[in-house]
Amino acid sequence: MMKSLCVYCGANFNGDPLLLKAIEDLALCMVDQNIQLVYGGGSVGVMGVIADEVMRLGGHVTGVIPQFLMDKEVGHLGITEMVITSNMHERKQKMADLADGFIVLPGGFGTLEEFFEVLTWLQLGLHGKPIGVLNVGGYYDHLFAQMEVMVAHRFLKKSNKELVFNEANPQQLISKMMGFSATPDEVWFKDRNLT
């Protein structure tokens, strides 16, 4: 059972009503199932929207932000708990440690970097937590198409591509993630073709 989800998302928000609805639906799903939000601690962009919505619904929000970003006054002051780290690496590790799973919302370079890092950790057997992409309006379609190219060129195993859940509906995504049961060792052995 997932008690917390780390949500990776952008520090910008383009005002897309479809994205806003997906964020609201995701927040509602999480609060209804008593799943706490772990996120990057920002008050701006998609980060601020998801944090505000979970708080509005009475949920629990833990932000994790490095001191240099807190100093720039982008830290959210209205959430349940804020963890301040000394650097970005410590931030990402802390977010991963606090979460029982990971969801990726639309974002930019930082969001993709966080996604691929935690996905690589899963591939290497460093954790056994589910990873889902909330693919709102086909935002990540080209990313998944690139993964198919990587499989076709034999730089990525199909079994590793399938470690990621790809859904446009938040409830369906969370339901699929709750069914994920691989242990870190099982993921690693599967990657090595040993099982």
Side-chain angles (χ1 to χ4, degrees):
M1 181 174 176
M2 290 189 296
K3 296 181 180 178
S4 61
L5 276 171
C6 176
V7 175
Y8 297 129
C9 51
N12 294 300
F13 177 54
N14 61 4
D16 180 3
L18 186 64
L19 176 54
L20 180 59
K21 178 70 165 58
I23 294 168
E24 291 170 347
D25 290 347
L26 174 60
L28 184 59
C29 289
M30 291 176 66
V31 173
D32 279 352
Q33 298 180 53
N34 294 313
I35 300 172
Q36 298 182 5
L37 170 65
V38 176
Y39 84 117
S43 60
V44 297
V46 175
M47 282 199 292
V49 176
I50 183 71
D52 287 344
E53 189 61 16
V54 172
M55 289 298 297
R56 186 185 72 79
L57 295 170
H60 187 283
V61 178
T62 299
V64 184
I65 193 168
Q67 184 66 60
F68 81 92
L69 286 178
M70 199 69 187
D71 292 341
K72 292 179 184 252
E73 300 182 346
V74 296
H76 201 307
L77 302 179
I79 59 176
T80 313
E81 178 184 9
M82 181 69 82
V83 177
I84 300 176
T85 65
S86 57
N87 56 57
M88 292 290 282
H89 294 291
E90 186 182 327
R91 175 203 213 180
K92 290 185 291 180
Q93 184 66 63
K94 186 67 175 176
M95 290 169 71
D97 290 344
L98 290 172
D100 296 321
F102 308 90
I103 286 182
V104 182
L105 288 174
F109 285 155
T111 302
L112 288 177
E113 187 249 348
E114 290 168 324
F115 167 49
F116 279 114
E117 181 171 62
V118 79
L119 179 55
T120 302
W121 291 352
L122 176 58
Q123 177 184 300
L124 294 175
L126 298 177
H127 71 79
K129 302 172 183 180
I131 301 172
V133 172
L134 189 57
N135 193 5
V136 182
Y139 183 81
Y140 284 115
D141 284 355
H142 289 92
L143 182 62
F144 281 96
Q146 177 59 39
M147 290 183 195
E148 292 288 358
V149 171
M150 295 160 74
V151 170
H153 286 262
R154 293 180 292 147
F155 284 102
L156 177 66
K157 294 182 186 301
K158 185 173 175 57
S159 60
N160 286 334
K161 176 188 174 291
E162 292 171 352
L163 290 172
V164 182
F165 295 101
N166 175 17
E167 287 291 335
N169 179 282
Q171 184 61 60
Q172 290 175 4
L173 181 60
I174 289 176
S175 294
K176 286 186 175 182
M177 291 173 68
M178 285 185 170
F180 185 81
S181 61
T183 66
D185 284 343
E186 286 171 343
V187 173
W188 173 250
F189 289 143
K190 185 177 181 182
D191 181 42
R192 303 275 67 79
N193 291 323
L194 298 176
T195 60

